[in-house]
């Protein structure tokens, strides 16, 4: 059956609190990130992702302190991202207790940072997040939390990211984010076809079947979601039981 598929709750953190929106806007609060992270760890999540979505200079100390508190409370790997622009940021977050660091805008602006992180800390530390929007048949990559389009397209950029040494790709479909109508299955399958590294599906989880389709049709290695977990719509134990009953290998 191959490797077990991973279920990953994502916590977007703003001013020390977890928030969730739709299509990257209309944020509402979802609770304390450390408490939520511990609850997900206890419930059987495979990994966690914490994103500092307003990583201004002033917010960094708050976020770093949160990472230290998370590391003390959870016993599963967790990735942190937001405002990671140079090796010193990676070092700071790993030192605080993170297992992996996610980069997005910085990599699109200066792709060499992927090579540098992989060489210094190892590929397994480097998760490259790609926020992309589909318009007129083209997936365009965005920076600045989905605010600014670039001239890079999803598949070409993902292939370069893999070539430069990233350990995995976290692909968020901006079209699907928070809408709860399922993941971007065709794009996920295309990424799987082209890439030698794992792909995490993000954006669109609304029911258990959406996760099943991400793994079967989208060929994703992991599936990430936020609001369906934060607001109690899907429990992780129930989700894993459902996936196993449908032939998907998951960790108990």
């Amino acid at each position: 059956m191959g490797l077990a598929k991973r279920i990953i709750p994502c916590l977007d953190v703003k001013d020390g609190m977890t928030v969730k929106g739709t299509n990257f806007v209309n944020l509402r609060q979802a609770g304390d990130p450390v408490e939520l992270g511990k609850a997900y760890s206890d419930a059987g999540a495979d990994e966690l992702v914490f994103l500092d979505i307003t990583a201004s200079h002033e917010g960094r100390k708050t976020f770093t302190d949160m990472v230290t508190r998370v590391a003390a409370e959870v016993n599963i790997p967790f990735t942190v991202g937001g405002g990671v622009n140079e090796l010193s940021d990676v070092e700071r977050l790993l030192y605080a207790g993170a297992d992996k660091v996610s980069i997005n805008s910085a990599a699109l602006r200066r792709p060499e940072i992927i090579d540098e992180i992989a060489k210094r800390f190892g590929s397994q530390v480097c998760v490259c997040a790609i926020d992309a929007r589909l318009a007129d048949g083209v997936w365009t990559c965005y920076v600045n939390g989905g605010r600014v389009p670039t001239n890079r397209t999803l598949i070409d950029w993902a292939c370069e990211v893999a070539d430069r040494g990233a350990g995995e790709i976290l692909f968020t479909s901006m079209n699907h984010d928070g809408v709860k109508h399922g993941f971007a299955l065709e794009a996920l399958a295309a990424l799987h076809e082209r890439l030698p590294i794992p792909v995490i599906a993000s954006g669109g989880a609304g029911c258990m079947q959406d996760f099943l389709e991400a793994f079967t049709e989208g060929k994703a290695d992991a599936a990430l979601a936020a609001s369906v977990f934060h607001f109690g719509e899907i429990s992780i134990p129930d989700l894993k039981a459902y996936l196993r009953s449908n032939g998907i290998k998951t960790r108990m």
Side-chain angles (χ1 to χ4, degrees):
M1 290 174 68
L3 292 173
K5 302 295 189 181
R6 291 171 286 149
I7 301 298
I8 307 176
C10 179
L11 298 93
D12 291 341
V13 180
K14 180 177 187 288
D15 303 326
M17 290 299 288
T18 308
V19 295
K20 186 63 193 112
T22 303
N23 302 124
F24 283 47
V25 295
N26 300 325
L27 302 178
R28 58 176 172 151
Q29 287 202 354
D32 176 77
V34 180
E35 289 178 10
L36 276 173
K38 185 178 189 309
Y40 291 139
S41 176
D42 293 344
D46 298 297
E47 298 181 19
L48 299 167
V49 171
F50 294 86
L51 298 177
D52 183 356
I53 62 168
T54 52
S56 63
H57 182 68
E58 310 84 68
R60 285 190 179 179
K61 186 176 189 312
T62 302
F63 189 72
T64 306
D65 290 346
M66 184 213 73
V67 171
T68 303
R69 287 164 48 225
V70 169
E73 294 287 346
V74 307
N75 55 9
I76 56 175
F78 68 98
T79 301
V80 294
V84 177
N85 295 306
E86 52 195 39
L87 287 180
S88 62
D89 294 324
V90 179
E91 194 164 49
R92 168 175 55 85
L93 293 167
L94 294 177
Y95 185 75
D99 298 279
K100 309 177 194 178
V101 171
S102 169
I103 56 170
N104 186 341
S105 300
L108 278 157
R109 294 193 181 102
R110 194 175 72 84
E112 296 79 16
I113 193 172
I114 299 170
D115 309 67
E116 293 165 4
I117 294 170
K119 184 177 179 182
R120 174 90 171 267
F121 304 105
S123 289
Q124 79 285 350
V125 160
C126 185
V127 178
C128 194
I130 302 177
D131 298 334
R133 185 187 295 280
L134 178 64
D136 300 323
V138 177
W139 283 98
T140 299
C141 300
Y142 279 66
V143 294
N144 288 24
R147 296 178 187 89
V148 181
T150 69
N151 62 357
R152 303 302 302 261
T153 56
L154 174 62
I155 299 294
D156 286 349
W157 173 234
C159 289
E160 180 176 337
V161 163
D163 289 344
R164 287 183 177 275
E168 56 189 335
I169 283 172
L170 168 55
F171 161 55
T172 300
S173 164
M174 294 172 61
N175 305 71
H176 296 71
D177 175 67
V179 179
K180 300 185 181 181
H181 290 163
F183 294 91
L185 301 176
E186 288 184 19
L188 285 167
L191 288 167
H192 171 79
E193 188 73 25
R194 295 288 299 274
L195 297 174
I197 59 175
V199 176
I200 303 168
S202 169
C207 64
M208 294 192 198
Q209 185 178 339
D210 293 335
F211 288 88
L212 179 63
E213 291 174 353
F215 295 134
T216 54
E217 296 178 41
K219 311 293 186 189
D221 299 278
L224 176 148
S227 57
V228 292
F229 296 140
H230 300 341
F231 301 117
E233 295 161 44
I234 296 176
S235 85
I236 290 169
D238 289 350
L239 174 58
K240 287 193 166 187
Y242 167 82
L243 291 170
R244 283 194 293 272
S245 73
N246 282 277
I248 301 298
K249 183 178 178 182
T250 65
R251 296 188 185 98
M252 298 296 283

